[in-house]
């Protein structure tokens, strides 16, 4: 059509009319990005209009928009005459294409040619300066702006505000905004954008209020920037901005709809997001991408795939952003089939060489495929892989357990001239930590020290985590001490690793370090500290953390509530654990496991098993940890048949392969039921090599049922694994005493003495006024030892007066749990509960001592031994022993 029209123009042969017609055609095609407009170029040459500057500038713009900057540059170089519009056109084309270095060279050539720039030229140059980090060049441009009298120009004021904000100099941008009055919509919007970019959310909203008061009408781009600030201030702010859009009658174009969809998606309001997207018929790639990403963020993967299909039906061809988004969905779904289908569409569209799509494909194959060669094949097909490409591939190899290959790829990356970023290095460090590759990490640490990455907090945190995971706490603290800036991740990492190593008291000391650094305790660090309090048994510290979580608004986080369930369950406050569990809207597997474990360890066996049934009815599938608690409940409750039934259901119903710990519980269940021979058969037939723990479990059962022959055989098997473990001798000695075979008991003790084996002294600790007091069996180092012993003797005398049948064995006076309990009684208010933790089983004499104490005085005493709690009250224990 355009070619025929051009021929008719030539036939009329009226110069003025010809120029006007060509000009109108080019203007129309420029406005609508129509490639066909370029066909006017030929008639322009034939008509001798190739010297016409206005027509040439229009053609230059059309070449840049529809055929790329290279074609536009070729045309520009052939233009016989150039003016400021020509120079600005080619310069802005380079800026839009991201070729900022070339754009600045074009600007230099323009000045050399003698052409003076206008406000649009200078605005484009400022964009290139900010993108390239050329601050000095940008300030020179500002000097030129002032010199040439452009300092009141709204286009350049907006450009300078954007320039300063990109360098993080929001105060300078704000001062510039304040000193230059009478701003238009663009300038106000640019200043709001600067505040949003600098995360000065409140200032951005204040500027909007001032803008409205000044009588300047906001446009769709103003609201797009404000919606970006709503992600921090919450959904109510987003709704308020949406209301202002409707009240002011701002047209909902696709840009504004996309911003609204992003906002509602972030707050899990996908129904509102869909309503916005359907409010007008206009759709583009970015809006579809926002919708699909929103569904993915809210784990609505099927709807995301459905929207992608609907987009295909609508006739819109997916771009690289869309493909990246849907590939991310397939990665989250772990759907290799979907990813491969999208990959085939990528090939058909011709985007397989696009770096963003290639990166998404690498991530998809790494997450969904068992063969990392698929990801490597995609990587080799990317024309110019960037740092993200390399990082995704390196992290993928590491995740698949190919740590040495990932290290070789890292070296190849450096040889290719691509400098790794903090994510690359931190990913490798984390993978090396998981694989326990100390030499390679030390080498990588050395490389990091030589680069500016050593100052990056993500890399430093990864190194802290690595050294702490290896138990090298001094090295980890050394890095922490040298860090210019520490954050919550730094300290949470340390606390969680200390918990894993059993250094719970050290983990709690990190609270002080965080306060000294003025770092707020977040939900993750709170969960770590709650875990430390639970394992240490420091209930008061745990309660203080509970109060802090309520005051700071962290109480509703899953990790915090799960931590509270665990804390109260382990410290004997089972009603508080149930209350915390009730606050969880939709309990997950960790919530259920925490409650079942707490009920089991506190002796509430029927409630624990009932909770297990509730869990299954709620649709949460039990895992291996769940069954450890369930089997423990069956063992403690002497429910042999039910325990066997649950053990069999692991494999048959839930497809969970029992591990060694599950077999230990099974042996305990059979042992409690007196089925000792079956228990031994389990040990012999299980698909694991037996350890000392399982033999000691069976030996305790033999002691309970006084089966000397099997006990001796079991002890022999255990001692073959660890000849220096005194527990086997002690259990045998106790069995012989209980069975009246004192001669065998004496002989066993003699063997221990010959081998110079001694029972490890037990430890017990109690928390009094935020301080943990540790007691060791047989030691008299505590400053109040004499007072403690006097109180024990006083209790003994009272027992005899009341006719309690208590017979203390001499050395039992020195047992650590008895010392800790009595110290707690002497140093707490009359109605306070005593919480004691012991690192070994409580003996029979101490158990009876505590029962009688609670019968004498109205106090509750809770003693935890391992995962089991004894709650003594009014002469009874929760274990009912």
């Amino acid at each position: 059509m355009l070619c025929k029209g051009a021929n008719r123009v030539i036939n009329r042969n009226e110069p003025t009319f010809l120029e006007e017609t060509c000009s109108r055609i080019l203007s129309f095609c420029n406005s609508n990005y129509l490639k066909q407009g370029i066909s006017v170029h030929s008639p322009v040459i034939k008509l001798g209009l190739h010297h016409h500057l206005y027509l040439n500038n229009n053609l230059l713009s059309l070449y840049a928009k529809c055929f790329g900057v290279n074609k536009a540059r070729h045309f520009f170089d052939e233009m016989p005459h150039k003016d400021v519009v020509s120079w600005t056109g080619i310069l802005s084309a380079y800026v839009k294409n991201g070729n900022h270095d070339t754009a600045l060279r074009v600007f230099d050539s323009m000045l050399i040619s003698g052409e003076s720039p206008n406000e649009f030229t200078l605005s484009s140059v400022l964009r290139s300066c900010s993108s390239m980090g050329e601050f000095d060049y940008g300030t020179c441009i500002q000097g030129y702006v002032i010199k040439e009298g452009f300092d009141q120009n709204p286009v350049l004021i907006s450009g300078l505000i954007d320039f300063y904000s990109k360098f993080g100099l929001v105060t300078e941008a704000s001062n510039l905004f304040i000193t230059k009055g009478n701003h238009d919509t663009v300038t106000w919007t640019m200043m709001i954008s600067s505040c949003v970019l600098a995360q000065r959310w409140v200032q951005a909203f204040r500027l909007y209020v001032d803008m409205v008061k000044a009588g300047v009408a906001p446009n769709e781009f103003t609201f797009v920037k404000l919606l970006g600030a709503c992600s921090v201030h919450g959904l109510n702010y987003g709704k308020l901005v949406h209301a202002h859009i409707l009240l002011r009658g701002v047209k909902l174009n696709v840009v504004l709809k996309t911003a609204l969809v992003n906002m509602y998606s972030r707050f899990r309001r996908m129904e509102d997001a869909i309503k916005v997207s359907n409010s007008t018929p206009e759709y583009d790639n970015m809006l579809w991408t926002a919708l699909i990403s929103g569904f993915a963020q809210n784990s609505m993967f099927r709807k995301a795939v459905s929207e992608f299909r609907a987009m295909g039906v609508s006739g819109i061809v997916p771009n690289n952003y869309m493909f990246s988004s849907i590939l991310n969905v397939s990665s989250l779904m772990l759907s290799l089939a979907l990813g491969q289908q999208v990959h085939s569409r990528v090939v058909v569209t011709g985007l397989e060489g696009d770096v963003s799509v290639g990166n998404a494909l690498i991530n998809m194959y790494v997450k969904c495929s068992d063969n990392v060669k698929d990801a490597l094949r995609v990587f080799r097909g990317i024309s110019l892989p960037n740092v993200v490409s390399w990082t995704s591939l390196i992290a993928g190899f590491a995740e698949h357990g190919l740590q040495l290959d990932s290290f070789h790829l890292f070296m190849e990356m450096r040889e290719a001239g691509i400098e790794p970023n903090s994510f690359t290095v931190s990913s490798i460090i984390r993978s090396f930590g998981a694989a326990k590759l100390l030499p390679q990490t030390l080498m990588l640490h050395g490389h990091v020290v030589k680069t500016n990455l050593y100052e990056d907090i993500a890399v430093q945190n990864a190194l802290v985590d690595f050294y702490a995971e290896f138990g090298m706490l001094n090295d980890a603290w050394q890095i922490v001490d040298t860090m210019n800036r520490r954050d919550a991740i730094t300290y949470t990492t340390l606390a969680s690793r200390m918990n894993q190593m059993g250094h719970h008291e050290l983990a709690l000391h990190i609270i002080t370090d965080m306060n000294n650094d003025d770092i707020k305790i977040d939900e993750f660090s709170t969960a770590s500290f709650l875990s430390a309090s639970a394992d240490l048994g420091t209930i008061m510290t745990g309660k203080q953390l509970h109060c802090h979580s309520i005051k700071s608004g962290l109480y509703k986080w899953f990790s915090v509530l799960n931590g509270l369930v665990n804390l109260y369950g382990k410290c004997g406050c089972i009603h508080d654990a149930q209350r915390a569990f009730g606050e969880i809207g939709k309990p997950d597997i960790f919530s259920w496991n925490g409650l079942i474990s707490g009920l089991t360890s506190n002796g509430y066996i029927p409630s624990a098993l009932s909770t297990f049934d509730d869990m299954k009815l709620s649709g949460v599938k039990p895992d291996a940890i769940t069954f450890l608690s369930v089997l423990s409940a069956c063992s403690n409750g002497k429910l042999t048949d039910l325990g066997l039934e649950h053990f069999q259901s692991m494999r048959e119903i839930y497809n969970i392969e029992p591990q060694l710990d599950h077999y230990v519980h099974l042996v305990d269940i059979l042992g409690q039921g007196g089925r000792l021979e079956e228990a031994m058969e389990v040990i012999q037939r299980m698909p694991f090599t037996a350890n000392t723990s399982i033999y000691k479990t069976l030996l305790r059962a033999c002691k309970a049922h006084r089966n000397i022959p099997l006990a001796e055989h079991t002890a022999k098997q255990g001692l073959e694994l660890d000849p220096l473990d005194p527990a086997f001798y002690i259990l045998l000695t106790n069995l012989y005493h209980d069975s009246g075979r004192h001669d065998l008991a004496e002989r066993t003790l003699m063997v221990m003495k010959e081998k110079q084996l001694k029972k490890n002294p037990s430890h017990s600790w109690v928390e009094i006024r935020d301080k943990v007091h540790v007691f060791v069996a047989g030691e008299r180092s505590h400053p109040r030892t004499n007072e403690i012993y006097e109180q024990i003797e006083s209790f003994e005398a009272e027992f005899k007066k009341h006719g309690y049948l208590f017979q203390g064995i001499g050395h039992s006076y020195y047992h650590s749990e008895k010392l800790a309990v009595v110290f707690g009684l002497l140093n707490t208010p009359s109605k306070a509960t005593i919480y004691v933790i012991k690192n070994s089983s409580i003996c029979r004499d101490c158990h009876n001592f505590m029962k009688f104490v609670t019968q004498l005085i109205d106090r509750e005493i809770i003693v935890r031994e391992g995962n089991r709690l004894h709650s003594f009250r009014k002469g009874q224990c929760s274990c009912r022993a």
Side-chain angles (χ1 to χ4, degrees):
M1 290 288 292
L2 286 168
C3 292
K4 289 179 182 178
N7 287 330
R8 285 198 293 271
V9 167
I10 293 171
N11 292 333
R12 289 191 60 168
N13 201 23
E14 298 175 10
T16 306
F17 178 77
L18 296 175
E19 290 175 18
E20 186 179 337
T21 304
C22 288
S23 175
R24 286 181 178 177
I25 292 171
L26 286 171
S27 295
F28 175 78
C29 292
N30 254 312
S31 300
N32 293 278
Y33 287 74
L34 295 176
K35 290 183 178 182
Q36 295 91 330
I38 215 68
S39 60
V40 174
H41 192 178
S42 179
V44 165
I45 295 170
K46 290 179 181 178
L47 292 169
L49 299 174
H50 53 283
H51 290 280
H52 197 290
L53 190 57
Y54 180 76
L55 291 176
N56 281 340
N57 284 339
N58 270 286
L59 279 167
L60 175 65
S61 175
L62 194 59
Y63 269 114
K65 286 178 179 177
C66 300
F67 295 94
V69 70
N70 292 331
K71 294 273 187 184
R73 181 57 186 267
H74 183 71
F75 179 80
F76 175 82
D77 290 339
E78 291 184 346
M79 287 174 63
H81 304 291
K82 303 177 183 73
D83 63 0
V84 65
V85 178
S86 318
W87 285 100
T88 303
I90 191 63
L91 193 149
S92 64
Y94 277 117
V95 172
K96 288 174 184 174
N97 198 52
N99 296 340
H100 300 289
D101 187 44
T102 309
L104 294 181
R105 286 201 299 269
V106 168
F107 180 65
D108 289 339
S109 300
M110 176 185 181
L111 295 178
I112 292 168
S113 73
E115 193 67 56
S116 297
N118 61 17
E119 65 269 32
F120 302 106
T121 322
L122 296 169
S123 177
S124 293
V125 172
L126 284 169
R127 282 179 61 190
S128 289
C129 290
S130 60
S131 296
M132 291 190 67
E134 292 283 354
F135 183 74
D136 292 339
Y137 199 136
T139 53
C140 289
I141 297 297
Q142 185 182 11
Y144 180 87
V145 165
I146 295 168
K147 181 182 176 183
E148 297 298 319
F150 286 128
D151 53 319
Q152 294 297 325
N153 187 286
V155 173
L156 286 171
I157 292 171
S158 299
L160 285 165
I161 289 170
D162 182 56
F163 170 77
Y164 279 113
S165 64
K166 291 282 176 61
F167 281 96
L169 302 171
V170 184
T171 304
E172 285 75 3
S174 184
N175 290 338
L176 184 68
F177 178 80
I178 292 167
T179 54
K180 311 295 180 185
N182 300 320
H183 301 298
D184 61 3
T185 300
V186 176
T187 313
W188 278 100
T189 301
M190 188 60 72
M191 193 61 231
I192 291 170
S193 174
S194 299
C195 292
V196 172
L197 186 69
Q199 299 183 359
R200 295 187 179 184
W201 321 111
V202 175
Q203 190 176 345
F205 284 110
R206 284 175 180 164
L207 277 167
Y208 170 70
V209 173
D210 293 341
M211 176 183 184
V212 173
K213 285 180 180 177
V216 180
N219 62 14
E220 62 270 28
F221 298 105
T222 315
F223 289 114
V224 166
K225 299 301 179 184
L226 288 171
L227 286 167
C230 295
S231 61
V232 173
H233 274 274
L235 178 62
N236 289 335
Y237 275 81
K239 285 182 174 180
L240 191 62
V241 172
H242 192 176
H244 274 244
I245 293 168
L246 299 175
L247 284 170
R248 292 190 160 273
V250 177
K251 184 183 176 183
L252 275 179
N253 60 14
V254 286
V255 176
L256 191 48
K257 284 205 302 182
T258 301
L260 283 164
V261 166
N262 280 328
M263 185 273 294
Y264 281 120
S265 301
R266 196 173 289 116
F267 294 108
R268 299 181 176 276
R269 299 292 291 264
M270 287 310 297
E271 289 183 8
D272 292 319
I274 294 168
K275 199 180 295 180
V276 167
S277 66
N278 292 333
S279 60
T280 63
E282 292 85 7
Y283 268 78
D284 69 354
N285 256 305
M286 295 309 293
L287 181 54
W288 283 108
T289 302
L291 269 174
I292 290 170
S293 298
F295 284 124
Q297 289 167 19
N298 290 278
S299 301
M300 302 166 73
F301 303 125
R302 292 186 182 278
K303 291 208 170 188
V305 175
S306 176
E307 287 295 318
F308 181 69
R309 288 174 180 153
M311 176 186 173
V313 172
S314 73
I316 294 178
V317 179
N319 61 9
N320 52 351
Y321 299 109
M322 171 57 68
F323 279 125
S324 299
S325 184
I326 194 65
L327 283 166
N328 182 48
V329 170
S330 63
S331 299
L332 293 169
M333 291 176 68
L334 299 178
S335 174
L336 180 61
L338 174 62
Q340 288 173 329
Q341 290 173 27
V342 176
H343 191 176
S344 64
R345 289 281 301 274
V346 168
V347 174
V348 170
T349 314
L351 288 171
E352 65 269 29
D354 182 87
V355 68
S356 61
V357 176
N359 293 344
L361 281 167
I362 291 169
N363 183 54
M364 185 274 294
Y365 280 118
V366 160
K367 297 278 176 62
C368 304
S369 176
D370 293 330
N371 191 354
V372 289
K373 288 182 180 177
D374 295 327
L376 185 61
R377 196 177 301 115
V378 171
F379 176 80
R380 299 301 182 197
I382 301 174
S383 52
L384 290 170
N386 60 13
V387 66
V388 178
S389 318
W390 282 99
T391 301
S392 300
L393 189 67
I394 291 167
F397 269 76
E399 286 170 16
H400 280 261
L402 303 170
Q403 281 81 14
L404 291 177
D405 290 311
S406 71
F407 187 71
H408 293 147
L409 281 169
F410 174 74
M411 301 306 292
E412 185 183 336
M413 173 186 183
R414 293 187 61 207
E415 289 171 8
I418 304 292
E419 279 301 313
N421 60 19
S422 60
F423 183 73
T424 317
V425 175
S426 57
S427 296
I428 298 174
I429 292 170
R430 280 193 294 271
S431 69
F432 283 2
K436 306 288 189 249
L437 299 178
L438 181 59
Q440 287 82 358
T441 308
L442 292 175
M443 191 186 306
L444 189 60
H445 191 174
H447 162 75
V448 167
V449 170
K450 296 174 185 176
T451 67
N452 57 0
L453 286 175
Y454 192 61
E455 298 297 319
D456 187 278
I457 193 168
V459 174
Q460 291 171 325
N461 283 340
L463 285 167
V464 168
D465 184 43
F466 175 84
Y467 287 119
E469 186 179 9
F470 258 82
M472 303 164 68
L473 285 178
N474 289 337
D475 297 271
W477 274 114
Q478 193 173 350
I479 294 170
V480 172
D481 291 338
T482 58
M483 292 170 70
N484 293 327
R485 183 174 66 88
R486 294 172 280 273
D487 60 9
I489 297 172
T490 312
Y491 287 116
T492 304
T493 297
L494 273 171
S496 62
R497 293 301 182 193
M498 287 174 177
N499 280 335
Q500 290 169 13
M501 288 185 280
H503 301 318
H504 307 301
E505 198 166 358
L506 287 177
L508 290 177
H509 285 162
I510 287 176
I511 297 173
T512 305
D513 295 313
M514 292 184 76
N515 288 332
N516 290 340
D517 277 355
D518 198 26
I519 294 171
K520 288 185 178 179
I521 297 174
D522 63 10
E523 64 275 15
F524 302 108
S525 51
T526 301
S528 290
F529 297 139
L530 285 170
S531 177
S533 298
D535 290 330
L536 197 59
T538 52
I539 185 65
M540 295 312 298
T541 304
K543 286 183 175 181
Q544 288 169 7
L545 286 164
H546 189 172
C547 291
H548 169 77
S549 71
I550 294 171
K551 290 178 182 177
S552 59
L554 300 173
Y555 180 65
K556 293 297 181 182
W557 281 86
F558 255 52
S559 57
V560 174
L561 285 168
N562 286 342
L564 288 169
V565 172
N566 179 51
L567 167 78
Y568 289 123
K570 284 186 175 178
C571 291
C573 307
I574 197 62
H575 298 300
D576 291 318
Q578 290 172 318
R579 195 176 297 117
F581 181 85
E583 293 286 337
I584 304 172
K586 191 175 180 182
D588 60 8
I589 185 67
F590 302 104
S591 317
W592 288 104
N593 284 351
L595 184 59
I596 294 169
S597 175
L599 289 165
T600 300
S601 60
N602 282 274
Y604 294 91
I605 306 305
S607 297
L609 295 173
S610 174
T611 302
F612 176 59
D613 291 333
D614 293 340
M615 171 187 174
K616 292 185 289 184
L617 289 172
S618 74
V620 177
K621 184 181 175 182
D623 63 6
I625 304 297
T626 316
F627 277 104
L628 285 175
S629 295
V630 170
L631 293 173
S632 178
C634 293
S635 171
N636 294 344
K638 296 181 174 59
L639 304 171
T640 306
D641 292 334
L642 184 60
L644 290 171
E645 185 182 318
H646 282 308
F647 185 86
Q648 289 167 357
S649 73
M650 288 179 66
R651 190 184 288 113
E652 294 173 3
I653 299 175
Y654 300 103
N655 199 28
I656 298 171
E657 200 62 38
Q659 299 301 305
L660 183 57
D661 287 343
H662 298 101
Y663 281 98
V664 172
H665 281 296
L666 179 60
V667 168
D668 196 26
I669 288 167
L670 291 168
Q672 293 278 3
R675 296 158 70 168
L676 303 178
E677 299 298 334
E678 288 180 59
M680 178 54 83
E681 282 184 30
V682 166
I683 296 175
Q684 291 168 345
R685 293 180 180 179
M686 68 181 185
F688 299 99
T689 302
N691 61 6
T692 57
S693 176
I694 201 165
Y695 282 123
K696 280 186 270 192
T697 300
L698 181 55
L699 186 53
R700 289 188 193 96
C702 292
K703 175 182 174 294
H705 295 281
R706 301 187 180 182
N707 188 328
I708 292 176
L710 184 58
E712 290 174 339
H713 174 71
T714 303
K716 182 182 177 183
Q717 297 290 321
L719 287 168
E720 285 178 3
L721 294 175
D722 187 359
L724 301 179
D725 190 340
F728 291 103
Y729 295 100
I730 293 164
L731 285 167
L732 270 178
T733 302
N734 292 338
L735 169 59
Y736 291 143
H737 277 303
D738 292 345
S739 304
R741 296 298 306 273
H742 302 294
D743 56 329
L744 293 177
E746 291 299 323
R747 195 183 306 166
T748 306
L749 290 172
M750 284 296 294
V751 173
M752 277 187 71
K753 191 173 181 180
E754 288 170 6
K755 294 189 175 184
Q756 297 183 338
L757 297 178
K758 291 182 180 179
K759 180 183 177 182
N760 293 324
S762 64
H763 290 68
S764 297
W765 54 94
V766 60
E767 182 189 20
I768 306 291
R769 287 185 283 278
D770 296 332
K771 184 178 179 183
V772 176
H773 297 262
V774 181
F775 295 87
V776 181
E779 285 193 6
R780 301 178 65 97
S781 58
H782 197 277
R784 298 184 66 181
T785 297
N786 291 336
E787 187 180 352
I788 294 168
Y789 285 2
E790 287 172 9
Q791 185 60 56
I792 291 172
E793 290 169 7
S794 173
F795 278 131
E796 294 278 353
E798 286 293 319
F799 296 162
K800 289 177 182 177
K801 277 186 188 178
H802 288 78
Y804 299 152
L805 300 175
F806 176 80
Q807 289 184 340
I809 303 170
H811 65 267
S812 70
Y813 285 0
Y814 304 96
H815 280 189
S816 60
E817 64 267 43
K818 188 182 293 186
L819 299 174
V821 164
V822 172
F823 179 76
L825 291 169
L826 292 170
N827 291 277
T828 54
S830 59
K831 297 293 182 181
T833 301
I834 309 297
Y835 298 92
V836 172
I837 310 293
K838 190 183 181 190
N839 67 344
S840 60
S841 299
I842 185 172
C843 78
R844 186 185 305 164
D845 292 297
C846 290
H847 191 274
N848 289 336
F849 177 86
M850 288 162 204
K851 283 172 63 176
F852 293 149
V853 165
T854 57
Q855 198 159 344
L856 281 176
I857 58 176
D858 187 19
R859 296 286 285 271
E860 183 179 12
I861 298 171
I862 296 173
V863 180
R864 190 171 91 208
E865 46 170 29
N867 291 324
R868 190 173 184 183
L869 283 99
H870 297 268
S871 178
F872 299 93
R873 193 163 193 175
K874 295 183 179 179
Q876 298 295 322
C877 178
S878 58
C879 73
R880 296 172 179 82

